[in-house]
Amino acid sequence: MHVVAVPALRGGAVGFDLTTVCQVFASVRLPDGSAPYEVRVCADAPVTTTAMGMPCFELTPTHPLAAVLDADTVVVPGVAGPDAVPEPEVVALLRKAAAAGRRVASICTGAFLLAEAGLLDGAEATTHWLAADRLAQAYPEVRVRPAVLFVDNGRVLTSAGVAAGLDLCLHLVSRDHGAAVAARAARALVVPLRREGGQAQFVSHPAPGAAAGPAGLQATLEWLHRNLHRTLTLADIAGRAGLSVRSLNRHFRAQTGTTPLRWLLWARVERARELLETTDLPVEHVARRCGFGTAVSMRAHFHRRLGTSPVAYRRTFRAPVP
């Protein structure tokens, strides 16, 4: 059982961030139906959460603050505002947890506590774009990336605000148990597993399918998912969406943060990951089912996006076939 600890900050933890961690990790199920995570909310007294800086609701934690040190992963939610004074006891616990080899992550302005603990010195990090300049000014040794949804430095991760906490938590699940398990959790939560893929995710873009006009692209995206095996051109996709190629590119960029063909490539890689994890299909068959045509082509795209080969990926994340 992998323990995830969430310190509930006295200064006003953002309620959405805190409950996001609980909801995502509690939603994960392995192929055998077991739950691999236990989530513990940690504080020494009841705390009042906030929403946009306003008091929201009071919660009674299930574990004392010191229980953070017993966790495998610590996720720090956002605080009421970037000018909130970091709580010394929480900062000290974060330092100890990191020194003990625990994985430490933050959502939104929780990055300020990681920076105060020195865990982001010399590293890239992100936070809510409204607080990015403040983080860079307060901690000049941190290389702030305000445009991305999250930054993964291995043992220390940071994410942007609000819904980016979902992206970060699902990314951690994918790291721990593979894309298929993370995808099942994402479906249970009714959210996309990734909003553009990899680390190149921009906070200014809503999730795929969000409306950018009278009608969004959700139906087109679903059609693409059903037809990944086909050779599709921009004209094919535009015709399905009832748009000109120029309008399609504009709407796709607005709604997904990328181009139609790049989105299609991302979707094919994701489908290939799931098939490699959950089936015994030969790599050549997976490549054809996902629209790559040949294993050589799929191998090139896999290496470019994931830094590994399909065979090596399957060896790492292969799940038992029911």
Side-chain angles (χ1 to χ4, degrees):
M1 183 67 72
H2 185 112
V3 176
V4 178
V6 189
L9 309 170
R10 289 198 315 272
V14 175
F16 185 91
D17 297 351
L18 191 153
T19 53
T20 288
V21 181
C22 300
Q23 187 68 45
V24 171
F25 288 104
S27 299
V28 179
R29 292 295 182 272
L30 299 182
D32 64 2
S34 63
Y37 296 103
E38 176 189 346
V39 185
R40 300 174 179 175
V41 177
C42 304
D44 290 330
V47 297
T48 300
T49 66
T50 64
M52 300 301 291
M54 298 177 61
C56 186
F57 58 85
E58 187 176 89
L59 65 85
T60 301
T62 56
H63 291 76
L65 187 59
V68 164
L69 297 178
D70 299 324
D72 302 290
T73 296
V74 182
V75 183
V76 182
V79 293
D83 295 321
V85 178
E87 298 172 26
E89 61 270 39
V90 176
V91 171
L93 284 171
L94 292 176
R95 288 197 189 105
K96 290 180 181 178
R102 308 293 189 257
R103 184 168 62 185
V104 181
S106 66
I107 298 175
C108 195
T109 49
F112 283 78
L113 279 86
L114 270 59
E116 183 68 18
L119 305 185
L120 303 179
D121 290 354
E124 292 185 341
T126 193
T127 186
H128 194 293
W129 62 273
L130 286 172
D133 288 343
R134 176 74 178 85
L135 181 65
Q137 293 166 5
Y139 303 96
E141 63 278 15
V142 179
R143 301 198 302 274
V144 179
R145 297 182 61 195
V148 298
L149 282 180
F150 60 82
V151 175
D152 182 346
N153 290 317
R155 303 301 299 179
V156 180
L157 303 90
T158 53
S159 82
V162 196
L166 286 163
D167 297 284
L168 174 68
C169 292
L170 287 169
H171 172 69
L172 290 173
V173 174
S174 184
R175 265 184 47 173
D176 293 343
H177 299 288
V181 170
R184 282 194 295 273
R187 285 193 291 271
L189 295 164
V190 199
V191 295
L193 177 57
R194 287 178 178 80
R195 282 191 275 172
E196 203 276 311
Q199 306 286 321
Q201 305 175 65
F202 296 93
V203 297
S204 58
H205 304 302
L217 290 171
Q218 186 63 40
T220 303
L221 297 179
E222 292 173 356
W223 176 79
L224 285 172
H225 270 297
R226 293 194 301 271
N227 291 275
L228 295 177
H229 59 286
R230 296 176 51 192
T231 299
L232 297 172
T233 66
L234 273 176
D236 294 330
I237 303 171
R240 178 68 187 188
L243 300 168
S244 67
V245 169
R246 183 176 180 180
S247 294
L248 176 75
N249 278 316
R250 184 174 69 254
H251 285 298
F252 240 88
R253 178 71 69 178
Q255 294 183 40
T256 72
T258 190
T259 66
L261 294 182
R262 284 187 63 193
W263 190 95
L264 183 61
L265 176 60
W266 163 80
R268 284 173 167 157
V269 170
E270 290 303 302
R271 174 67 58 78
R273 290 174 69 181
E274 291 193 38
L275 291 176
L276 290 169
E277 292 177 26
T278 60
T279 75
D280 286 321
L281 288 172
V283 172
E284 283 283 356
H285 290 195
V286 172
R288 287 197 295 271
R289 281 197 179 192
C290 298
F292 290 110
T294 67
V296 173
S297 174
M298 186 171 78
R299 188 180 304 116
H301 289 298
F302 242 69
H303 192 273
R304 189 174 299 119
R305 294 186 72 84
L306 304 176
T308 189
S309 70
V311 172
Y313 183 87
R314 170 173 269 171
R315 189 182 306 121
T316 302
F317 290 107
R318 181 73 173 85
V321 179

